Amino acid sequence: MILSVEPDVEVVGEAADGAQAVEQVRALRPDVVLMDVQMPVMDGIEATRRIAADDLAKVLVLTTFDDDAYVDDALRAGASGFLLKNSDADRLVDAVRTVAAGHALLAPEVTRRVIERMVSGERPVAAPSGADPASSDPRLDQLTPREREVLVLVGQGLSNAEIAGELFLGEATVKTHVSNVLAKLHLRDRVQAVVLYHRTLT
């Protein structure tokens, strides 16, 4: 009901479980799938994995603080974003548009909890400017020092505007750096960049 009244959003299908969701996506080829986590027959994590593996659509996962332990699994499965179930209607619509446009979306509350679990409290999330948190990953050798700084801040969950303020750069310049980082590291989106960054801290 929320999405169907938007002039630029068309709801093309609904599914009662993960297996139906995969079937619907294969048949209807939507741009975005709004995926619940806990469902019968096949859960949202496995459904996300199958959809992402065949690059059928971008997946926006719904989560709550009670079940967001599934978020790391969904990240690995290929989800493009996470939204809390108690989000208001405007935020839901904006999230769908954001993911459809090819951007990753992480609810700030979810990001913090994912980071806390990934680092397990062993090391602080923040890193000094210019630090290379991923020096153990040879893929990072191809990044420039500025791109590494940008990766650090993306990994901490900052938006392009926040990164621009932190590094005293224009937002368009930051967007270019982020695109370069994703391209050089062969990452699909910012979500994968967050995962890569925090995996190197453990």
Side-chain angles (χ1 to χ4, degrees), residues 25-168:
V25 170
R26 290 189 187 281
L28 300 170
R29 294 302 177 97
D31 297 301
V32 178
V33 177
L34 193 59
M35 182 76 73
D36 200 353
V37 173
Q38 296 178 329
M39 293 183 291
V41 184
M42 179 189 297
D43 65 28
I45 304 301
E46 180 59 27
T48 296
R49 182 177 294 109
R50 297 189 185 191
I51 291 168
D54 291 336
D55 199 21
L56 299 174
K58 297 176 178 67
V59 179
L60 175 60
V61 173
L62 290 170
T63 185
T64 69
F65 282 133
D66 292 332
D67 69 16
D68 72 353
Y70 293 107
V71 171
D72 355 7
D73 290 336
L75 280 169
R76 297 184 182 95
S80 293
F82 298 91
L83 191 68
L84 297 181
K85 287 185 177 180
N86 61 359
S87 298
D88 60 30
D90 289 341
R91 191 165 186 181
L92 171 63
V93 175
D94 287 344
V96 170
R97 290 179 178 137
T98 297
V99 172
H103 305 298
L105 182 139
L106 292 171
E109 304 91 336
V110 174
T111 303
R112 284 194 294 270
R113 292 174 69 89
V114 170
I115 289 171
E116 288 170 4
R117 288 199 304 278
M118 284 185 168
V119 301
S120 302
E122 295 176 2
R123 301 188 187 185
V125 172
S129 178
D132 177 12
S135 58
S136 61
D137 191 322
R139 293 182 298 170
L140 274 291
D141 293 342
Q142 59 191 308
L143 297 184
T144 66
R146 177 62 83 186
E147 288 167 352
R148 293 184 186 215
E149 287 181 324
V150 170
L151 175 62
V152 169
L153 298 176
V154 169
Q156 294 173 18
L158 273 66
S159 67
N160 285 355
E162 291 168 332
I163 294 172
E166 191 78 17
L167 298 180
F168 303 103

